[in-house]
Amino acid sequence: MKAKVIIIGNEILNGFTKDTNAHFLINNLLKNDITVDNVVFIKDEIFTIIEELEKSFQVDFVFLTGGLGPTNDDVTTNALNVFFKDKKPKLLNNSVGTAPGLWFSKAGINYFAFPGVPAEMKIMAFQLFKTLFNKVDKKNSFLHVGTVGIRESKLLLVLKEFEKSLPKNCKMSYLPEIFIVKLRFHGINTEEEVFIEIKKKLNELLNTHIFSFNQISLEESIINSLIKKNINISIAESCTGGQISKMITSVSGASKVLIGSVIVYSEYAKEKILDVSSEIIKKNGVVSEIVVKKMAISVMEKFKTNFGLATTGFMGPLEKENDRFAWVCLASKTKTVTKKIYLKSTRQNNILFTSRVILNELRKEIL
């Protein structure tokens, strides 16, 4: 079965609002064996919406988002009324907002219109799919594998022969992120034993680079391991400015393992809060191995935790490429691991990269 997605909104086409609805619909429709043939983005104009609806044939479903509200630029309902000649639609409950969704049928095609607000649309679509597709036997199945600390180019080499050996009804995709590469296996009428064998082979080939065999994040997998092993941590952040703490506390159960964290952005804060002496900073520089080591050990001791994590660095943007680097440190009572990393992206990406590097060091230590 096939579908078309129509995203309506001037604010999206003007670049003021980032669309996430299309990705959500595509992903969840595929899980229900519905393939999205095309996605279009159009303006809040009645004639434009009608024109796009008239071109929507050779599909089983059409999903529209945006333009159902009460403001002057919300014209989707009017366009649908014209297209369907004032035929009354079924109303889809909106438990979050005020505008209900609309369900029309015409010439064997089902048309669903949702509000454009993602928080509303996603709940409504989720409930609809559960009702619409709950009795359908699924032929599509997926396996998601999270890897960290290995580049996509290296993965391609390591998995070259493995990929060739996959069954014809199982396709593999590489989804690179910052310091992370996700592997997705899409099976059509694939037996569960196939995925079990894939997991086994990947464990042999990638070993400790794998952090999950489902869609949980790196930080969630770390939190789960820390809880299971009754290990706690503390964090001292300089260049990452609270990013690591944010990632950790975004996971349910973080309070069981994160005892405390501090943002010691200035030299003054490092001296007063973590007792890093001004002489050490002056002699070695604030971004140095000895300073990050002192930070990690100090935060561990002050919070009385099993591990202390610390970061210090130049996040950019800077004029000289070689000035973009950071030091990270993971300290325990028996071992201290430091790492110098070179940064080549935007400031925001560099902060995330540095955060994931130190979290990966923690993950490796608690395996």
Side-chain angles (χ1 to χ4, degrees):
M1 301 180 83
K2 296 180 180 180
K4 176 178 181 176
V5 175
I6 302 174
I7 307 296
I8 302 164
N10 293 334
E11 71 284 355
I12 293 172
L13 291 172
N14 291 335
F16 296 126
T17 301
K18 182 179 179 181
D19 172 70
T20 59
N21 291 338
H23 175 266
F24 176 87
L25 288 169
I26 293 168
N27 192 34
N28 284 276
L29 286 167
L30 186 58
K31 289 177 182 177
N32 289 287
D33 295 336
I34 311 297
T35 303
V36 174
D37 266 9
N38 66 327
V39 178
V40 294
F41 295 83
I42 60 175
K43 295 180 180 179
D44 291 289
E45 296 174 346
I46 292 177
F47 71 89
T48 304
I49 297 170
I50 293 171
E51 184 180 46
E52 198 58 52
L53 288 168
E54 288 173 344
K55 293 189 290 185
S56 303
F57 51 89
Q58 294 183 336
V59 295
D60 302 285
F61 304 97
V62 176
F63 295 89
L64 305 91
T65 73
L68 296 186
T71 60
N72 291 333
D73 62 346
D74 289 321
V75 298
T76 301
T77 301
N78 292 336
L80 289 167
N81 286 335
V82 172
F83 181 73
F84 290 104
K85 298 178 181 178
D86 291 320
K87 178 183 176 183
K88 286 190 179 294
K90 294 179 184 177
L91 298 182
L92 303 174
N93 180 50
N94 184 346
S95 60
V96 179
T98 55
L102 307 175
W103 179 354
F104 293 91
S105 296
K106 183 178 180 179
I109 302 174
N110 286 291
Y111 299 77
F112 302 96
F114 300 112
V117 179
E120 298 178 29
M121 188 283 297
K122 290 175 182 178
I123 291 174
M124 294 171 71
F126 180 77
Q127 292 299 329
L128 174 68
F129 293 169
K130 199 161 64 170
T131 304
L132 205 60
F133 306 125
N134 68 338
K135 293 181 181 178
V136 177
D137 291 328
K138 306 292 191 303
K139 67 177 182 179
N140 286 287
S141 51
F142 299 88
L143 171 65
H144 299 268
V145 183
T147 72
V148 63
I150 181 168
R151 294 178 183 274
E152 184 184 15
S153 56
K154 177 80 177 290
L155 270 175
L156 286 167
L157 291 173
V158 173
L159 300 179
K160 186 178 179 180
E161 295 304 318
F162 163 78
E163 194 170 355
K164 288 179 183 178
S165 71
L166 289 172
K168 290 183 179 179
N169 62 341
C170 185
K171 302 298 180 184
M172 176 181 169
S173 302
Y174 293 84
L175 309 171
E177 297 180 13
I178 296 171
F179 201 59
I180 282 174
V181 181
K182 294 176 181 176
L183 307 175
R184 188 180 70 177
F185 297 86
H186 176 195
I188 301 174
N189 295 322
T190 304
E191 298 294 331
E192 181 63 26
E193 289 75 17
V194 173
F195 284 152
I196 292 172
E197 186 61 26
I198 286 173
K199 289 180 184 179
K200 181 181 175 183
K201 288 181 179 177
L202 286 176
N203 268 325
E204 293 171 359
L205 292 167
L206 301 177
N207 199 2
T208 58
H209 288 295
I210 296 173
F211 65 83
S212 76
F213 278 111
N214 45 48
Q215 289 184 286
I216 70 171
S217 64
L218 172 64
E219 48 269 33
E220 190 175 351
S221 69
I222 291 170
I223 292 293
N224 291 341
S225 295
L226 290 171
I227 291 173
K228 284 179 185 177
K229 298 181 180 183
N230 196 29
I231 296 172
N232 55 33
I233 63 171
S234 52
I235 308 168
E237 299 189 61
S238 182
C239 61
T240 46
Q243 176 68 35
I244 303 168
S245 303
K246 179 184 175 183
M247 291 165 72
I248 291 293
T249 55
S250 70
V251 179
S252 176
S255 60
K256 296 177 182 177
V257 297
L258 177 62
I259 305 304
S261 68
V262 291
I263 300 175
V264 283
Y265 209 68
S266 65
E267 293 182 16
Y268 177 85
K270 292 177 180 66
E271 293 171 20
K272 297 299 180 182
I273 297 173
L274 296 180
D275 303 322
V276 181
S277 73
S278 58
E279 289 79 12
I280 288 176
I281 294 174
K282 193 176 292 184
K283 181 180 178 181
N284 299 278
V286 71
V287 181
S288 60
E289 183 176 20
I290 189 169
V291 167
V292 79
K293 197 181 287 187
K294 291 281 186 184
M295 290 168 61
I297 293 171
S298 180
V299 78
M300 176 188 68
E301 291 176 346
K302 286 182 181 296
F303 285 105
K304 297 180 173 59
T305 54
N306 301 116
F307 287 95
L309 291 71
T311 64
T312 182
F314 301 111
M315 295 292 101
L318 301 169
E319 292 181 6
K320 296 179 181 178
E321 280 293 321
N322 59 359
D323 283 340
R324 294 186 188 181
F325 67 91
W327 279 98
V328 299
C329 181
L330 177 69
S332 68
K333 293 179 177 64
T334 59
K335 186 179 180 181
T336 303
V337 177
T338 57
K339 200 168 197 176
K340 186 178 185 181
I341 53 178
Y342 293 91
L343 308 167
K344 300 177 181 179
S345 189
T346 63
R347 183 178 182 85
Q348 187 176 0
N349 287 348
N350 289 339
I351 289 171
L352 181 56
F353 180 82
T354 304
S355 301
R356 283 180 170 170
V357 168
I358 185 58
L359 285 175
N360 190 45
E361 291 303 316
L362 173 62
R363 182 189 68 87
K364 290 189 293 184
E365 283 300 312
I366 62 175
L367 284 175

